[in-house]
């Protein structure tokens, strides 16, 4: 989508659709007020009569309002002023995006950022409006014929703002690229989006963005590094495993980088501890963590943020097979610590532990892994929040803050040592499952044993990265939280 800035008075602009917001219990404001004036109070009249709803997220399309040059006016309800906040504003912008997408409008002029939202700046509102329009306009088309009734997406949007808002627009472009990349990778089927495909995507970044380089380690190179835990997971698959290492240098070489690590299980059958059939197809989203770190990396490279960033993806497929790893196996991880496998379906922590050990060579200021690690994360927080765990209060706060700012929220769970005994093993330094109780936390405890001297945080995005049911598909999350965190570092 093409974004531009245009300070032309909203009533005088020749556009296919003018998009304004209106509260239930506050007078019309900004461009909405101008529209009302130009139409001699008709807009206010339509609101009064109930023909235009100002309820939260309601959208009403008006045609040929007199005194206004735009062909259509889309009025977005903002609801009650007292209840309005960042989260509600974001939803209003998504509603606008969905409406424009579903009504074959290819261009629009947006004034939504003029509405008042407490604790926000013009910059933030414009950015969020643009990002949400782009996210709402995304459609998956890679492996299906376009349907005739599938409307044209919105191709361009101008915003009622001046050149001083260009930085907000640049951030929006970066964030949107990151989200869309993550959504597309998440949605692609596992026979296409396999470990090699993730590696090719990383290679594409190195080819197309400035200051980006990539290294892709194959199984032989990982064996030399003694990454037996990561390699065990991919052994049952016909696809090879890969460790993808992307580097972005936006600052002097000597500055320590931020390292983000993603779980890239391109399909999780459970391995020999096979998952039940129903819903197994959803396990193509088990690379949602990898998709998010790649998306955030792309956002950062696209914005050319003044930071150093390294993105590590552990890419593998978890399948049963004659050569597959088994329950009972004891693996010696790259760190030297041994792991008893009790369940081959707890594979995410096995690929991550070696990727985290590897990442320490970069001496990061912050080491953050992102993973669809546990079904228990969906049980705990549903689809609304990602779980954040860290022994470093400041790092946890920074991630929570970033999530609030980007409206891609997280919620913290403890990593107390009290939980550690649950992964004690009779035959190894630890086992890879911790029982029914606190499944997400014991997975975090497992990873904590490989990040002892690091300023480390773990994000379990099993609930937030995809939605199933009617609108099933990837949300691209937590690209917003990660990218905001990186912007805040800059
Ligand atoms: N990828 C899954 C986690 C998952 C399950 C995410 C369902 C979203 C929905 C992970 O590899 C897994 O299978 N975890 C097991 C761990 C268990 C065997 C200790 C789980 O959560 O059931
Ligand atoms: Mn699994
Ligand atoms: Zn998994």
């Amino acid at each position: 989508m093409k974004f531009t800035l245009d300070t032309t008075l909203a009533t005088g602009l020749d556009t296919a659709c003018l998009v304004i917001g209106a509260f239930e219990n506050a007078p019309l404001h900004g461009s909405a007020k101008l529209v009302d004036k130009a139409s001699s109070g008709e807009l206010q009249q339509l609101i009064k009569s109930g023909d235009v709803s100002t309820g939260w997220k309601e959208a009403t399309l008006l045609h040929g309002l007199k005194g206004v040059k735009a062909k259509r006016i889309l009025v977005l309800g903002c609801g009650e002023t007292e209840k309005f906040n960042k989260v509600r504003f974001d939803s209003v912008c998504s509603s606008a995006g969905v409406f424009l997408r579903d009504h074959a409008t290819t261009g629009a002029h947006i004034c939504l950022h003029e509405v008042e939202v407490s604790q926000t700046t013009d910059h933030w509102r414009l950015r969020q409006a643009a990002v949400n329009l782009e996210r709402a306009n995304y459609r998956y088309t890679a492996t299906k014929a376009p349907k005739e009734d599938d409307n044209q997406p919105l191709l361009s949007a101008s915003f009622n703002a001046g050149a001083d808002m260009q930085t907000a627009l640049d951030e929006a472009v970066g964030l949107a690229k990151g989200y869309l990349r993550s959504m597309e990778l998440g949605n692609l089927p596992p026979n296409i989006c396999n470990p090699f495909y993730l590696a090719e995507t990383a290679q594409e970044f190195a080819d197309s963005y400035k200051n980006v380089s990539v290294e892709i380690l194959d199984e032989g190179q990982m064996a030399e590094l003694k990454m037996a835990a990561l390699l065990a997971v991919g052994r049952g698959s016909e696809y090879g495993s890969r460790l993808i290492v992307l580097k972005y240098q936006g600052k002097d070489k000597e500055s320590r980088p931020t390292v983000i690590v993603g779980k890239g299980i391109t399909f999780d059958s459970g391995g020999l501890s096979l998952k039940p059939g129903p819903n197994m197809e959803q396990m193509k989203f088990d690379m949602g963590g990898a998709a998010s770190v790649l998306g955030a990396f792309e956002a950062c490279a696209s914005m050319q943020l003044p930071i150093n960033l390294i993105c590590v993806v552990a890419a593998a497929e978890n399948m049963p097979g004659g050569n597959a790893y088994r329950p009972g196996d004891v693996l010696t991880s790259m760190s030297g610590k041994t792991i008893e496998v009790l369940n081959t379906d707890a594979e995410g922590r096995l690929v991550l532990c070696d990727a985290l050990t590897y990442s320490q060579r970069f001496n990061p200021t912050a080491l953050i892994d992102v993973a669809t690690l546990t079904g228990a994360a969906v049980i705990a927080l549903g689809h609304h929040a990602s779980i954040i765990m860290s022994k470093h209060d400041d790092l946890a706060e920074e991630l929570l803050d970033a999530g609030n700012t980007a409206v891609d929220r997280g919620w913290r769970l403890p990593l107390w040592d009290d939980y550690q005994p649950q992964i004690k093993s009779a035959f190894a330094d630890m086992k890879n499952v911790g029982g029914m109780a606190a499944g997400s936390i014991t997975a975090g405890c497992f990873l904590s044993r490989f990040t002892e001297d690091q300023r480390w945080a773990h994000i379990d995005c099993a609930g937030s990265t995809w939605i199933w049911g009617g609108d099933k598909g990837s949300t691209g999350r937590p690209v917003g939280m990660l990218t905001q965190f990186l912007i805040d570092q800059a």
Side-chain angles (χ1 to χ4, degrees):
M1 195 182 302
K2 197 171 171 314
F3 294 137
T4 50
L5 299 164
D6 192 337
T7 48
T8 310
L9 220 53
T11 45
L13 195 78
D14 188 10
T15 172
C17 190
L18 183 67
V19 185
I20 55 179
F23 284 105
E24 253 171 50
N25 56 341
L28 292 168
H29 161 86
S31 297
K33 189 173 167 184
L34 290 180
V35 167
D36 187 51
K37 259 202 180 143
S39 68
S40 323
E42 197 177 334
L43 178 58
Q44 190 60 63
Q45 205 50 50
L46 288 167
I47 291 172
K48 217 172 178 180
S49 64
D51 292 309
V52 169
S53 170
T54 49
W56 178 46
K57 292 196 290 187
E58 299 272 356
T60 314
L61 193 66
L62 302 173
H63 291 265
L65 204 67
K66 63 172 191 276
V68 182
K69 214 163 183 189
K71 288 172 196 69
R72 309 178 187 82
I73 297 173
L74 181 62
V75 186
L76 267 297
C78 297
E80 300 163 48
T81 48
E82 303 78 43
K83 287 190 183 159
F84 207 61
N85 57 20
K86 287 181 191 165
V87 178
R88 286 199 159 209
F89 174 76
D90 249 50
S91 309
V92 165
C93 298
S94 309
S95 292
V98 169
F99 193 97
L100 292 167
R101 178 62 164 88
D102 290 345
H103 289 77
T105 317
T106 53
H109 184 65
I110 313 296
C111 306
L112 287 173
H113 52 285
E114 294 171 21
V115 306
E116 218 174 290
V117 191
S118 62
Q119 294 176 331
T120 66
T121 58
D122 294 345
H123 177 281
W124 182 88
R125 292 193 301 275
L126 194 143
R127 183 190 89 171
Q128 293 302 108
V131 171
N132 282 296
L133 279 183
E134 186 101 78
R135 287 178 74 195
N137 269 270
Y138 167 84
R139 283 287 185 288
Y140 177 81
T141 57
T143 50
K144 61 189 237 205
K147 278 196 309 212
E148 267 178 43
D149 59 355
D150 227 1
N151 287 325
Q152 267 278 330
L154 190 63
L155 298 175
S156 65
S158 58
F159 294 84
N160 185 28
D164 55 321
M165 283 294 131
Q166 190 57 45
T167 53
L169 222 47
D170 293 343
E171 272 185 26
V173 169
L175 273 160
K177 266 190 194 158
Y179 265 118
L180 263 48
R181 173 72 65 176
S182 177
M183 288 160 90
E184 186 73 358
L185 287 173
N187 286 333
L188 281 168
N191 58 331
I192 293 177
C193 184
N194 57 26
F196 310 139
Y197 189 93
L198 290 180
E200 281 160 23
T201 302
Q203 183 63 56
E204 206 184 289
F205 291 173
D207 295 341
S208 51
Y209 290 105
K210 266 204 305 207
N211 301 320
V212 173
S213 60
V214 69
E215 200 183 339
I216 293 161
L217 276 62
D218 64 18
E219 287 161 301
Q221 290 164 298
M222 286 192 275
E224 268 170 40
L225 288 163
K226 300 191 173 359
M227 296 185 149
L230 194 160
L231 287 170
V233 171
R235 265 198 351 235
S237 168
E238 290 296 317
Y239 301 138
S241 302
R242 293 290 182 268
L243 189 78
I244 301 164
V245 185
L246 268 166
K247 293 184 185 164
Y248 166 75
Q249 195 194 323
K251 212 177 164 182
D252 61 285
K253 260 204 179 91
E254 286 67 43
S255 291
R256 294 167 65 194
T258 301
V259 178
I260 50 179
V261 179
K263 170 180 172 181
I265 298 297
T266 57
F267 187 69
D268 181 11
S269 69
L272 289 174
S273 312
L274 196 65
K275 285 183 184 290
N279 296 325
M280 200 202 267
E281 87 285 353
Q282 292 185 77
M283 283 301 132
K284 72 171 179 177
F285 294 120
D286 213 17
M287 33 58 71
S292 299
V293 296
L294 288 169
F297 184 92
E298 182 169 20
C300 171
S302 135
M303 292 185 274
Q304 290 286 304
L305 290 179
I307 58 166
N308 288 342
L309 176 66
I310 296 177
C311 169
V312 176
V313 169
E317 187 185 47
N318 187 20
M319 295 288 272
N323 197 31
Y325 78 129
R326 337 159 175 74
D329 282 358
V330 172
L331 310 171
T332 304
S333 66
M334 182 181 177
S335 71
K337 292 182 178 165
T338 58
I339 304 158
E340 183 191 6
V341 177
L342 288 195
N343 189 323
T344 62
D345 198 11
E347 84 297 339
R349 62 200 79 184
L350 297 176
V351 299
L352 284 175
C353 73
D354 280 346
L356 285 166
T357 300
Y358 178 85
S359 297
Q360 297 178 20
R361 65 183 55 203
F362 303 119
N363 189 23
T365 53
L367 175 60
I368 302 166
D369 76 79
V370 188
T372 50
L373 204 59
T374 60
V378 190
I379 304 298
L381 299 181
H383 295 288
H384 298 291
S386 308
I387 293 179
I388 292 173
M389 289 177 218
S390 181
K391 291 187 177 175
H392 297 264
D393 293 342
D394 55 344
L395 181 55
E397 283 303 323
E398 285 170 24
L399 286 166
L400 289 167
D401 286 348
N404 288 331
T405 302
V407 194
D408 176 10
R409 292 182 292 177
W411 197 258
R412 193 175 177 192
L413 288 187
L415 259 187
W416 300 326
D417 290 338
D418 310 52
Y419 295 95
Q420 290 282 354
Q422 286 179 238
I423 54 172
K424 248 192 185 155
S425 159
F427 301 106
D429 297 335
M430 70 198 89
K431 56 184 180 183
N432 77 331
V433 297
M436 277 285 283
S440 299
I441 296 177
T442 53
C445 285
F446 180 97
L447 297 177
S448 76
R449 297 189 179 202
F450 298 87
T451 51
E452 269 153 358
D453 306 317
Q454 299 292 313
R455 189 165 172 266
W456 163 75
H458 162 58
I459 302 177
D460 192 333
C461 62
S464 60
T465 204
W466 54 271
I467 303 287
W468 44 325
D471 288 321
K472 88 172 154 189
S474 170
T475 63
R477 293 175 65 190
V479 161
M481 179 197 291
L482 290 170
T483 307
Q484 184 66 51
F485 175 84
L486 297 173
I487 291 172
D488 294 344
Q489 306 290 300

